[in-house]
Amino acid sequence: MPSFPATQPDWNNLRVLQRNRLSHRASFFSYRNEEDALTYDETLSTAISLNGTWKFKLVDNPLNAPDDFQLPSFDSTAWANIVVPGMWQLQGFGRPQYTNTVFPFPVSVEPDGTPSIPYEGNHVGNYIRNFSVPSEWEGSSVRLRFEGVDSAFHVFCNGKEVGYSQGSRNPSEFDVTSLLQINNENTIALRVYQFCDGSYIEDQDQWWLSGIFRDVWLISFPVNHIADIQLQTHLDENYCDATLAVEVNTFGSSIPLTIKLLNLSKSLVATKEESAIAPSTSFAFSVSNPLKWTAETPHLYHLVVSTPQQTVAVRVGFRNIEIEHGVFMVNGRPIKFRGTNRHEHHPEFGRSVPHDFLRADLLLMKKHNINAIRTSHYPNHPRLYHLADELGFWVIDEADLEAHGFADIEEAALGPDKDALKGKERQNYFYDLAAKWTTDNPAWKEAYVDRARQLVSRDKNHPCVILWSLGNEAFYGKNFQAMYDWIKAYDPTRLVHYEADRKAQTVDVLSQMYSSVATIITYAEDPASTKPLVLCEYIHAMGNGPGAIKEYIDAFYKYPLLMGGFVWEWANHGLLTTNKEGKRYYAYGGDFCDEPNDGNFVMDGVLFSDHTPTPGLAEYKKAIEPVQVIGGSEKKIEIINRYDFLTLDHLRCEWNIVGDGYVCPGGEVTIPLGIKPGQTATLIIDNAVKSNSLPAEGFLTVRFSLKTATSWAPAGHEVANGQILLKPHVPRSSSSYFSAMYKTVSSSLTYPFPVTEKDKMLSIKGKDSQWTFEMTSGHLVSWVKGGTNILYSPPVMDFYRALTDNDRPQDGMQWIAKRLHQTKDHLKSISWKTTSKGDTEVSVVSRIAPPVFEWSVDTTTTYTFSSAGVQIKIHGIPQGINLPDTFARIGLTFHMPPEFGTVRWFGRGPGESYRDKKLSQKFGTWEATVDQLFTNYEFPQEGGNRTDVRWKLLC
């Protein structure tokens, strides 16, 4: 019986993950000679980039895809141009859509695992490009390689179908030798599907974007060639001498191989010559005490494998990974992850991140003391791993696998009973239910294991990769056990991570997200705990955050079983967009009329969308600094070395004293040689200033910086700093101090203070100022000085502030529900008197309350007008059964005229700070304009606060 469509499409067929795709291999290029190979410069390799301008046509349904577009005779001149690599939604075709967990398409996975992605709404991008093949490639084997295509695609060459592949963030390579024409123009055509059955397990928290978003290569290999290389390094029991194990996969019969190991300066260490017999040949080098690779000492050797017609170079890092007595170890030493999660994102190009932009990101990480990256939640572009090898980062390399949306389905299906579940218990319940869809479904086993094979096969030779991650938020089931088993059989040298394996019954380390400090300490102190614990996500950095970091870091270093953690996350994912008025801004979910969406939850990094640091990055740098001041006095400083491998010999230390209105020059402090990781030391300060000689509150400030330049920062770059209180703050209340510090608002009051009452207005007159109260409201409505009113609005008691992103799902929900933001004060009485000292007091009794509810705060506000100035004291009593558990802020709010455009203060600065986010801001005397005090968070919220301020001067 005829039917339409005639067959089940590859993109909606779980039994088809690929057609004609070559076996996975390590990421490397082939070169003509050793000199070129050791440059690692792709442009010198036997490969041609097919990046650039392609012809493009978008259709709304695979059934509407153009016929015969793959034929060389097809006329695509009327099609649009598109840049490859790139996302088509960011080049004017379709629209971006952001969801955190929910699927943006109907979910129709049958109980047997059969997927059903709908035709309608599944856009298809059709790509065409012409290219030529160099004549010297005649007789060679030619491959077409795609580093990343979202989400699935069919590829054609000169009108013939080459194959099919899915797995968006993984490479796909095809043999096109027989289809190419050396002396004629060639045509490549792709049909890229926005969604495929693989999209069910690519439900990561990011923009849904589509297209050929990574590099495209045409690669020439000799007919008899090196097909793959796998390296493993093994250190002896003393972590001194090493063995380098090499397995070379070849295609062809009896190929003569020359293998060289070169040192850091590319001088010969060892060499071997063998005749390789396909499919694989194994070698081993014994190396006496090589320099070891770590994130702090990224020493790279080079392995050069050559045939008469081909040379491949691979960087080698000698390091050993193991768990000993529950402690995660590299090269025999425990390490701590001071890490970040990193999505691939560029504000204009989406997941197509330029190399220079990526490198700038990694340099910024190093300069902010970050030593580890989790590639959330998929394998990143291959160049990230090369940079991580060179610059020094520990990497958790994560498979392209997440199925979070199934938990939303289960939660919605449970109905009202779900409200009885809270916190982790709630999440775990729905995770267990959701596992049946794909994770614990045998029909999906091969799709899962394929993701593991692609991950490990490509990145296996990078020393920076020290943990494989099976994916993220895809629940737990048999298919993860299958992934683990394959990885451990193929690469036993590394450990395996997966957070949703909550009991670590399969994986090698226990992983958690957003656990409290108390929770991780409880685990670390439990004698039954046998595996190390890593916080793969913690200290949520969304908006005005993160806070309370130091408590985590102190716990990491106190307890050996704690491996450290990865801040969520590196950067906001705002997309640079122009509105109807021509104003450019960074868009988030919903700004493209994309439904469903998860709003601004995509703006959750320690960088703004333009990849400049937020205040949160400064706070994180301070918390994880590798040398910390733990005590001291004017004569000495107590420090601790929190590096994993380095001494402090590469640092210099300088000191000075900063105080309330003064700075005392200092000098350099000698750092004793050989302070090992974990050791404390005392630094002696020559020519110390006696604390009792300081004129006011003062702090000893020390700064640790690089003695010499590194690959990631110049000499003089500040690594860490600290302050020690030498002379405490003494509150000052004398009139001379007040006049000096508040001269712009002082009144030069004289005795007596005439009080007049007229037309329900109460006026108090000083020598050159006059204050007026509106008696019907109890508000101080004007302060006239020199003929100018310096109050634009009266001081009012306020319990609310703008919500931060991290407030919203927590206390912020209650603040809004209890109408904290709608409170107003209601006058009960106002009275005034002259005190025995001759001061004038005005007392205002009010009740502050919201509409609807009965809760309130009864306040008495006392204004005292004296020769020292004006003092305001407020006493309040909260009451009511619906009283909020917390108040957002307690303080006076009023407006001042724009003439007061600059603020000078002594306290923490220069940046914003809060009770739980202030350690990165040092005590000093600072000055800024009002505009400079503002932090322009991309989603409007509370910002710009300064803490521990002793005084401020408005001018």
Side-chain angles (χ1 to χ4, degrees):
M1 176 184 296
S3 66
F4 180 82
T7 59
Q8 184 178 5
D10 290 343
W11 52 266
N12 207 20
N13 187 344
L14 195 56
R15 294 182 296 277
V16 179
L17 302 177
Q18 55 85 21
R19 293 187 188 277
N20 299 327
R21 191 174 66 195
L22 295 174
S23 298
H24 311 305
R25 66 174 178 88
S27 181
F28 63 82
F29 284 84
S30 178
Y31 294 83
R32 298 173 182 85
N33 54 63
E34 180 178 315
E35 182 181 4
D36 287 349
L38 287 171
T39 67
Y40 299 98
D41 183 348
E42 299 155 351
T43 65
L44 298 178
S45 71
T46 58
I48 297 172
S49 172
L50 295 184
N51 295 348
T53 302
W54 293 49
K55 302 303 288 186
F56 182 79
K57 183 177 179 61
L58 185 69
V59 298
D60 63 354
N61 187 321
L63 299 176
N64 294 329
D67 295 328
D68 300 331
F69 85 111
Q70 73 274 18
L71 298 178
S73 59
F74 183 84
D75 184 4
S76 63
T77 54
W79 285 19
N81 291 331
I82 196 168
V83 175
V84 171
M87 322 300 302
W88 73 54
Q89 291 90 346
L90 302 183
Q91 299 187 60
F93 307 97
R95 64 185 179 193
Q97 183 169 6
Y98 166 65
T99 65
N100 171 25
T101 62
V102 301
F103 294 112
F105 43 77
V107 177
S108 302
V109 178
E110 303 300 330
D112 66 352
T114 305
S116 182
I117 295 289
Y119 284 91
E120 186 176 357
N122 188 8
H123 291 188
V124 178
N126 300 276
Y127 292 80
I128 297 176
R129 164 172 187 145
N130 296 328
F131 64 94
S132 299
V133 180
S135 58
E136 60 265 29
W137 286 16
E138 183 81 49
S140 66
S141 174
V142 182
R143 297 181 177 190
L144 183 59
R145 183 177 179 88
F146 299 89
E147 296 293 355
V149 180
D150 195 327
S151 70
F153 66 101
H154 284 98
V155 59
F156 306 85
C157 182
N158 291 331
K160 304 292 185 181
E161 181 172 341
V162 176
Y164 168 82
S165 184
Q166 64 185 60
S168 297
R169 270 68 75 174
N170 295 301
S172 304
E173 198 165 74
F174 303 91
D175 189 333
V176 293
T177 307
S178 63
L179 302 177
L180 294 178
Q181 300 176 13
I182 298 296
N183 298 316
N184 293 308
E185 190 173 60
N186 295 268
T187 300
I188 180 175
L190 264 74
R191 182 167 285 159
V192 179
Y193 307 96
Q194 183 175 11
F195 304 120
C196 69
D197 54 66
S199 301
Y200 285 118
I201 56 173
E202 292 179 5
D203 184 33
Q204 291 98 345
D205 175 11
Q206 60 179 341
W207 292 98
W208 292 89
L209 298 170
S210 315
I212 309 172
F213 72 97
R214 289 184 185 160
D215 303 301
V216 183
W217 296 99
L218 197 66
I219 305 173
S220 171
F221 286 88
V223 172
N224 296 324
H225 58 264
I226 300 163
D228 196 10
I229 299 173
Q230 182 176 9
L231 310 180
Q232 292 183 357
T233 62
H234 305 278
L235 303 183
D236 65 15
E237 60 183 9
N238 297 315
Y239 306 100
C240 179
D241 296 336
T243 299
L244 173 64
V246 184
E247 182 174 323
V248 181
N249 291 353
T250 53
F251 182 86
S253 58
S254 190
I255 305 172
L257 284 181
T258 299
I259 303 181
K260 297 180 180 179
L261 179 64
L262 310 179
N263 63 17
L264 281 62
S265 60
K266 299 179 181 177
S267 298
L268 185 66
V269 174
T271 186
K272 288 181 181 291
E273 292 188 1
E274 297 282 348
S275 181
I277 306 299
S280 67
T281 305
S282 297
F283 306 85
F285 289 99
S286 296
V287 186
S288 176
N289 195 20
L291 292 173
K292 310 307 186 293
W293 189 98
T294 74
E296 295 169 4
T297 59
H299 300 305
L300 289 173
Y301 289 69
H302 307 270
L303 186 77
V304 180
V305 183
S306 301
T307 73
Q309 295 178 296
Q310 181 189 18
T311 300
V312 174
V314 183
R315 296 174 179 89
V316 180
F318 288 96
R319 53 105 183 92
N320 197 73
I321 303 161
E322 61 192 339
I323 296 174
E324 188 171 329
H325 305 299
V327 180
F328 183 75
M329 313 275 278
V330 177
N331 300 344
R333 291 198 53 83
I335 69 165
K336 301 295 182 182
F337 290 137
R338 308 190 299 270
T340 182
N341 285 275
R342 177 187 177 271
H343 267 292
E344 290 186 310
H345 182 75
H346 184 277
E348 295 181 78
F349 311 133
R351 283 192 291 282
S352 297
V353 180
H355 180 270
D356 290 346
F357 194 83
L358 166 61
R359 183 177 178 84
D361 263 7
L362 268 60
L363 293 176
L364 198 60
M365 291 179 191
K366 292 289 289 189
K367 291 174 182 176
H368 285 81
N369 298 327
I370 291 171
N371 71 353
I373 300 169
R374 177 181 175 222
T375 66
S376 52
H377 298 293
Y378 40 80
N380 281 200
H381 192 289
R383 63 173 63 103
L384 175 132
Y385 305 87
H386 295 303
L387 288 170
D389 289 341
E390 295 172 9
L391 297 173
F393 286 96
W394 311 116
V395 173
I396 297 182
D397 201 9
E398 196 147 272
D400 187 12
L401 204 164
E402 180 168 344
H404 206 159
F406 291 117
D408 291 80
I409 295 170
E410 295 297 339
E411 184 170 3
L414 186 60
D417 292 341
K418 66 179 180 290
D419 296 332
L421 301 169
K422 304 295 181 183
K424 288 284 186 181
E425 179 189 16
R426 177 189 183 96
Q427 182 193 72
N428 293 344
Y429 180 82
F430 294 118
Y431 272 30
D432 290 341
L433 290 176
K436 69 176 182 290
W437 292 85
T438 58
T439 295
D440 210 32
N441 187 336
W444 284 81
K445 176 181 175 181
E446 180 56 25
Y448 274 57
V449 175
D450 183 63
R451 303 284 169 134
R453 281 195 295 261
Q454 296 209 59
L455 168 76
V456 176
S457 297
R458 193 195 70 171
D459 298 336
K460 60 196 172 191
N461 294 329
H462 289 284
C464 65
V465 177
I466 60 173
L467 282 131
W468 301 117
S469 176
L470 303 181
N472 182 69
E473 293 176 323
F475 331 117
Y476 181 72
K478 294 186 289 289
N479 294 335
F480 280 113
Q481 181 71 58
M483 294 175 73
Y484 177 89
D485 292 343
W486 186 90
I487 290 174
K488 297 300 279 190
Y490 186 79
D491 177 25
T493 68
R494 292 180 177 92
L495 304 179
V496 177
H497 158 277
Y498 177 57
E499 180 268 338
D501 182 0
R502 297 187 300 270
K503 298 179 181 179
Q505 55 193 11
T506 292
V507 294
D508 301 312
V509 301
L510 179 66
S511 179
Q512 294 178 359
M513 294 181 180
Y514 308 108
S515 295
S516 67
V517 175
T519 297
I520 63 175
I521 288 176
T522 298
Y523 177 82
E525 291 181 340
D526 186 348
S529 298
T530 60
K531 291 187 177 182
L533 168 64
V534 62
L535 293 183
C536 65
E537 296 178 19
Y538 80 131
I539 53 173
H540 199 259
M542 189 174 181
N544 188 343
I549 308 172
K550 183 178 185 298
E551 294 85 343
Y552 281 101
I553 305 303
D554 289 346
F556 294 159
Y557 282 94
K558 182 177 180 180
Y559 296 98
L561 262 63
L562 303 183
M563 297 168 60
F566 295 77
V567 61
W568 185 266
E569 66 162 312
W570 177 238
N572 290 355
H573 294 202
L575 293 174
L576 190 59
T577 307
T578 304
N579 65 15
K580 294 179 180 179
E581 291 74 35
K583 184 176 181 180
R584 306 193 86 188
Y585 72 101
Y586 291 99
Y588 45 80
D591 283 346
F592 300 99
C593 298
D594 48 314
E595 292 290 344
N597 70 78
D598 285 309
N600 69 308
F601 204 69
V602 76
M603 314 288 265
D604 51 6
V606 291
L607 298 185
F608 293 110
S609 295
D610 64 358
H611 284 230
T612 58
T614 71
L617 183 58
E619 190 71 9
Y620 194 40
K621 176 186 179 181
K622 175 63 180 172
I624 61 176
E625 59 191 4
V627 52
Q628 296 196 347
V629 176
I630 56 176
S633 64
E634 68 263 32
K635 296 181 179 180
K636 60 185 180 181
I637 309 164
E638 302 295 329
I639 62 171
I640 187 168
N641 179 0
R642 282 187 164 172
Y643 283 104
D644 294 323
F645 294 90
L646 292 175
T647 68
L648 304 184
D649 296 354
H650 64 294
L651 299 178
R652 68 191 304 255
C653 179
E654 299 164 287
W655 71 274
N656 70 352
I657 293 175
V658 298
D660 188 347
Y662 65 91
V663 175
C664 297
E668 186 169 350
V669 183
T670 300
I671 302 176
L673 295 176
I675 301 173
K676 295 180 180 180
Q679 285 187 339
T680 59
T682 300
L683 309 185
I684 305 300
I685 298 177
D686 297 326
N687 304 315
V689 177
K690 293 183 178 180
S691 57
N692 58 13
S693 69
L694 301 178
E697 181 179 16
F699 295 82
L700 173 65
T701 301
V702 291
R703 175 179 180 270
F704 297 89
S705 61
L706 297 175
K707 285 181 180 178
T708 59
T710 67
S711 61
W712 48 270
H717 167 74
E718 183 178 294
V719 172
N721 65 68
Q723 287 190 310
I724 298 167
L725 177 64
L726 298 182
K727 187 171 186 176
H729 169 63
V730 177
R732 308 184 192 182
S733 57
S734 67
S735 65
S736 61
Y737 175 80
F738 190 93
S739 296
M741 303 319 299
Y742 295 89
K743 59 185 177 181
T744 59
V745 296
S746 65
S747 60
S748 301
L749 296 176
T750 58
Y751 300 99
F753 308 112
V755 178
T756 59
E757 178 186 354
K758 183 180 179 181
D759 297 331
K760 298 182 181 179
M761 305 296 283
L762 185 72
S763 296
I764 302 158
K765 188 171 178 59
K767 181 179 180 181
D768 56 7
S769 295
Q770 180 169 319
W771 296 265
T772 302
F773 286 86
E774 184 181 72
M775 298 176 67
T776 57
S777 65
H779 290 163
L780 177 63
V781 293
S782 73
W783 179 343
V784 178
K785 180 179 174 62
T788 301
N789 185 10
I790 61 175
L791 276 183
Y792 267 34
S793 71
V796 295
M797 193 65 186
D798 192 14
F799 302 130
Y800 188 72
R801 57 161 171 77
L803 297 182
T804 67
D805 287 320
N806 287 326
D807 285 329
R808 293 179 186 278
Q810 307 296 331
D811 289 344
M813 294 179 64
Q814 190 190 66
W815 295 341
I816 298 300
K818 300 296 177 100
R819 299 180 181 269
L820 190 68
H821 59 301
Q822 295 174 336
T823 56
K824 292 183 179 179
D825 65 336
H826 304 277
L827 175 71
K828 299 183 73 173
S829 68
I830 180 170
S831 59
W832 58 95
K833 69 178 181 179
T834 300
T835 70
S836 59
K837 295 181 179 180
D839 302 337
T840 296
E841 282 186 359
V842 177
S843 181
V844 180
V845 179
S846 298
R847 171 162 289 174
I848 302 174
V852 179
F853 295 121
E854 84 292 353
W855 72 265
S856 64
V857 180
D858 289 341
T859 62
T860 300
T861 305
T862 303
Y863 299 83
T864 303
F865 301 87
S866 70
S867 59
V870 183
Q871 185 182 70
I872 305 174
K873 289 185 177 180
I874 305 174
H875 181 264
I877 301 175
Q879 59 190 2
I881 60 171
N882 280 311
L883 189 71
D885 294 335
T886 60
F887 286 172
R889 175 175 286 161
I890 300 175
L892 286 173
T893 299
F894 56 95
H895 296 172
M896 298 188 70
E899 290 82 355
F900 293 93
T902 301
V903 183
R904 193 165 184 258
W905 75 97
F906 181 76
R908 290 190 183 271
E912 76 172 25
S913 57
Y914 291 81
R915 180 186 177 114
D916 67 339
K917 194 182 81 170
K918 66 181 183 179
L919 299 181
S920 61
Q921 303 306 308
K922 297 188 287 291
F923 282 93
T925 303
W926 310 102
E927 185 172 304
T929 66
V930 171
D931 286 345
Q932 288 170 339
L933 294 175
F934 177 66
T935 302
N936 190 21
Y937 288 107
E938 290 167 322
F939 187 83
Q941 60 195 279
E942 158 67 18
N945 190 63
R946 267 69 179 171
T947 56
D948 297 329
V949 175
R950 308 302 189 223
W951 54 260
K952 60 181 178 295
L953 174 65
L954 306 178
C955 51

